[in-house]
Amino acid sequence: MSFQALNAALSGLRVAQQQLNVISNNVANVGTPGYSRKILPQTTQVINSTGQIIGVQAETVVRNVDLNLERDLWTQVSAVNFMDVKASYLNNIQTFHGPPDKELSIAAEIARLRDSFTALSDTPDDGFALQSTLNQAGDVARKFNNFNDLIVQQRNDAQSEMTVSVDRINDLLVQISELNGQIKGTANLNRTTAALEDQRDEAIKSLSEEIEISSFQRGDGVIVIQTRTGIQLADERPETVYFSPGLL
């Protein structure tokens, strides 16, 4: 067997070993959040003049990810989190009014006040009916005041959560921009960017939990993050999101 044949066989063994390393890493990280399956592309080395195969060469490790599915996932994450927050606040209002059969709502209190006035109209000189109507009017007023307190508290809670959310959005935009820069630089050196892309995807997913976003990937590997209406939030440079809270 010639030296050239031995060298070709050795290159194949080296690539096979690298492939085994990639596969074992995939298996070991099956349950790791944010980890995506990696593959090792291979090319055959051929002498152009003769067409003779002289070995196998491994390319850089890449991810087996569908970016369109990723974008769909981020959209659904935004939608689900929006509905969760909305349901949480509406549940507080529903709890205040109570189950329909308990008749604890404002409508039920007003209905009882109407009944009291109806009874009082039949016997306007009845002291007990007068006191009962007065008490029921007080109950209605307290119910309105308590509901007002709940709405104010809901508004203040929402404002506090928005302040925290905006801070988190800005932190994530910085993180995504830094990862974009690292991915672009690493790709220019012909090195694998798979692990960095996994980190970036996790950061974008976390961002989609806070705000509805759109995105597209440039030819240099940078993912540009935009709002739903197309306002740019991050590429290699992050924008800053502001929120001005009102008086609590």
Side-chain angles (χ1 to χ4, degrees), residues 141-204:
R142 280 189 292 274
K143 195 70 175 180
F144 270 107
N145 288 332
N146 291 339
F147 188 60
N148 175 74
D149 292 342
L150 173 64
I151 296 301
V152 170
Q153 184 62 50
Q154 294 264 87
R155 181 257 189 190
N156 292 343
D157 290 345
Q159 183 165 273
S160 297
E161 290 183 15
M162 287 177 67
T163 301
V164 173
S165 180
V166 167
D167 289 341
R168 178 158 172 74
I169 287 170
N170 286 324
D171 290 342
L172 288 168
L173 291 177
V174 170
Q175 183 180 347
I176 292 168
S177 297
E178 290 176 349
L179 288 167
N180 270 334
Q182 293 175 33
I183 289 169
K184 181 178 179 180
T186 303
N188 288 337
L189 297 174
N190 291 323
R191 296 177 181 173
T192 178
T193 61
L196 292 172
E197 290 179 77
D198 281 350
Q199 296 177 40
R200 182 178 62 185
D201 283 358
E202 277 297 286
I204 295 175

Side-chain angles (χ1 to χ4, degrees), residues 86-99 105-106 143 147 150-151 154:
K86 184 177 181 179
S88 175
Y89 281 88
L90 291 178
N91 283 337
N92 291 335
I93 295 176
Q94 183 177 2
T95 300
F96 173 84
H97 290 295
S105 66
I106 291 178
K143 195 70 175 180
F147 188 60
L150 173 64
I151 296 301
Q154 294 264 87

Side-chain angles (χ1 to χ4, degrees), residues 225-241:
I225 305 298
Q226 299 174 317
T227 65
R228 180 175 58 85
T229 56
I231 299 174
Q232 184 166 313
L233 296 176
D235 47 15
E236 300 104 307
R237 183 179 65 86
E239 301 295 334
T240 302
V241 178

Side-chain angles (χ1 to χ4, degrees), residues 108 110-121 133:
I110 293 176
R112 281 190 283 270
L113 179 60
R114 179 200 60 201
D115 293 341
S116 294
F117 273 115
T118 300
L120 182 62
S121 66
T133 302

